[in-house]
Amino acid sequence: MGGKNEIKKVLLVSPRFNKGRHQISIHPLAGLGYIAESLKNNGFEVNVFDMNLQYSEKDLAEKIHSFLPDMVGFLIMTFGYKDTYRLIEGVKELEPNVKIAVGGPHISTLKEKVLQECSAIDYGVLLEGDKSFVRLCLNDDVKNIPGIVYRAEGKIRKNEFNEFIENLNELPFPRYEAFELEKYPVKQIGIVTSRGCPYKCIYCPVVSAIGRKFRARNADNIAEEIEYWHSKGYREILILDDNFTLVRSRVEELCWLLINKDLKDIRLKCPNGIRADKTDYELLKLMRKARFDMISFGVESASSKVLKNINKDENIDVIEEAIKNACSLGFEVSLFFIIGSPGETPEDVQKSFSLALKYPVAVSNFYNIIPFPDTELFDWISKNKYFLRPLEDIMNNASHFINEPCFFTPEMSYEERKRAFKNGKKISKIIRKRFIEKKLKGPEVLKRLFSCIYTIGVVEQVLTTNKSVIKLKEKLKQAVC
């Protein structure tokens, strides 16, 4: 690379998912938002191109031609990574002189292998890129930037990542000025108040992506961000943390700040799932007072044996108590379960179905458990030769949401896994219909009719993948509930 001012314009790209559940972005990506904010504060002209707003490769080419970036940064996930490789190769062919960097879970997990597989990539940014990617764009000597994978002298080299950001309060929170905010179908903003996970669940790739050490913003800092978005007309705020309630005192302080600010019509949600053992009735009651109205729990299984096998480090009685408390306090409750964990039997899955049906929750989702690289689960399956397909195919195509198991165990065969997933869909549908009928106003016959239509498979697909329909759904939700 050349002189100090060589990189002035940076384009950040979120590639499009052409299959699976997340084929359209509902709200801007917080991770790219943090990178964009850090770049802007260091004097770069930044633009973000979210292809999940239903943009095509041709649209991306036109964006590059009009914006003329010096650096293009791609978010890369393991699911569908081959499509992202092809997209990157197309950009490099179009603009051979543009520098291309990738960040996200796939590069953080596989590191040098990604650059080996895709020759169009110049740099990989591991784990947190808030500082390292900015230094890369500032043309600091790449050999001195922690957490960078790069090409030099015909070889691929890696600088170890050795410096997590301890004080998250020092980072500017995303204002999303480089995003097309008006094009998102729902007026929601997601915020991240902490990073890192100290737990050791055998299936979880989060540690490879954001690290094990828990770091958190303080309550004043979070309240400032919520108040900012409220002033911009946003009323629905999603807390996207993996461990929002890990430090109780922080949550309590935030709640009292929000109660005192009395932000009109604010609705706070925890959609990513919090640990049940890090809540109790009094904390949930305070969160309701602070206008939290939706909460998710990562249950994973109703079997104590399975919870132990996956190192969940939670007790099913504690989980059930948290669900009961949240329902009684009027939260819209979502539950996450995974199917096919080590040692799980069809009878264990049935226990999860029973628990899902026991309380008046809004949603219960049953997912395939996916063996991501660099996890204990992946190593266990590899060692025992339980994979059902070649690893390359599994990494590219395995999805939580598609009924195609990628491994088996002695306790659950391929056919039993397929059957359990299908039955989980039926249970989810029953729960969703029940909740919709409870929420709707009007005659019972119309409520039942609407809930039946709403939960038809093809209707659900349209409701989650069509931008115009999603907008209409939000308007109807406000009108009939």
Side-chain angles (χ1 to χ4, degrees), residues 5-20:
N5 298 318
E6 185 178 350
I7 294 178
K8 297 180 180 179
K9 300 169 75 173
V10 182
L11 178 66
L12 301 176
V13 179
S14 176
R16 186 168 183 177
F17 289 115
N18 295 311
K19 55 187 176 181

Side-chain angles (χ1 to χ4, degrees), residues 238-386:
L238 313 182
I239 309 293
L240 301 178
D241 299 32
D242 293 292
N243 288 287
F244 175 61
T245 58
L246 189 67
V247 179
R248 182 191 183 98
S249 59
R250 184 181 76 114
V251 179
E252 290 174 334
E253 185 179 354
L254 173 63
C255 286
W256 283 116
L257 282 172
L258 294 174
I259 290 166
N260 291 331
K261 288 179 182 295
D262 193 25
L263 302 176
K264 299 298 182 185
D265 302 319
I266 198 81
R267 300 186 303 280
L268 301 162
K269 304 176 185 294
C270 295
N272 278 10
I274 63 175
R275 285 183 63 94
D277 62 352
K278 294 300 176 183
T279 68
D280 59 27
Y281 186 86
E282 291 304 318
L283 181 61
L284 291 172
K285 183 178 178 182
L286 181 61
M287 290 172 67
R288 283 294 284 145
K289 186 177 177 68
R291 297 199 174 96
F292 282 82
D293 68 353
M294 182 269 181
I295 199 165
S296 300
F297 294 109
V299 180
E300 322 312 358
S301 174
S303 164
S304 297
K305 173 194 68 180
V306 174
L307 293 177
K308 182 178 179 180
N309 288 350
I310 62 176
N311 287 345
K312 182 68 176 177
D313 197 25
E314 271 190 298
N315 182 288
I316 190 61
D317 293 332
V318 173
I319 294 173
E320 190 165 350
E321 181 70 14
I323 297 169
K324 183 171 68 174
N325 287 338
C327 288
S328 70
L329 286 164
F331 279 96
E332 182 176 312
V333 179
S334 292
L335 306 179
F336 301 143
F337 296 88
I338 50 179
I339 291 173
S341 298
E344 186 169 52
T345 65
E347 291 73 26
D348 293 321
V349 176
Q350 192 61 48
K351 289 181 182 179
S352 294
F353 292 164
S354 297
L355 176 58
L357 289 164
K358 187 173 181 179
Y359 296 98
V361 301
V363 177
S364 283
N365 286 316
F366 295 88
Y367 303 128
N368 286 318
I369 185 170
I370 301 298
F372 292 100
D374 203 27
T375 62
E376 187 178 335
L377 176 65
F378 184 93
D379 294 341
W380 179 80
I381 296 170
S382 297
K383 178 182 177 181
N384 289 284
K385 299 181 180 178
Y386 291 151

Side-chain angles (χ1 to χ4, degrees), residues 129-140:
D130 308 76
K131 293 182 178 180
S132 55
F133 186 57
V134 169
R135 287 183 61 183
L136 183 64
C137 292
L138 287 169
N139 287 327
D140 283 1

Side-chain angles (χ1 to χ4, degrees), residues 15 74-78 81 84-85 88 102-107 114 121:
F74 285 88
L75 172 66
I76 183 166
M77 312 294 285
T78 298
Y81 74 91
T84 305
Y85 285 174
I88 291 170
V102 298
H106 191 64
I107 181 69
V114 174
I121 298 172

Side-chain angles (χ1 to χ4, degrees), residues 111-130:
K111 305 175 178 69
E112 297 100 320
K113 183 175 170 58
V114 174
L115 270 67
Q116 291 167 4
E117 293 177 336
C118 184
S119 60
I121 298 172
D122 297 297
Y123 306 102
V125 182
L126 308 179
L127 296 161
E128 292 177 318
D130 308 76

Side-chain angles (χ1 to χ4, degrees), residues 63-88:
K63 182 69 176 181
I64 290 172
H65 278 311
S66 62
F67 185 58
L68 297 176
D70 307 300
M71 172 78 82
V72 180
F74 285 88
L75 172 66
I76 183 166
M77 312 294 285
T78 298
F79 180 64
Y81 74 91
K82 289 186 179 181
D83 287 337
T84 305
Y85 285 174
R86 284 191 287 271
L87 183 67
I88 291 170

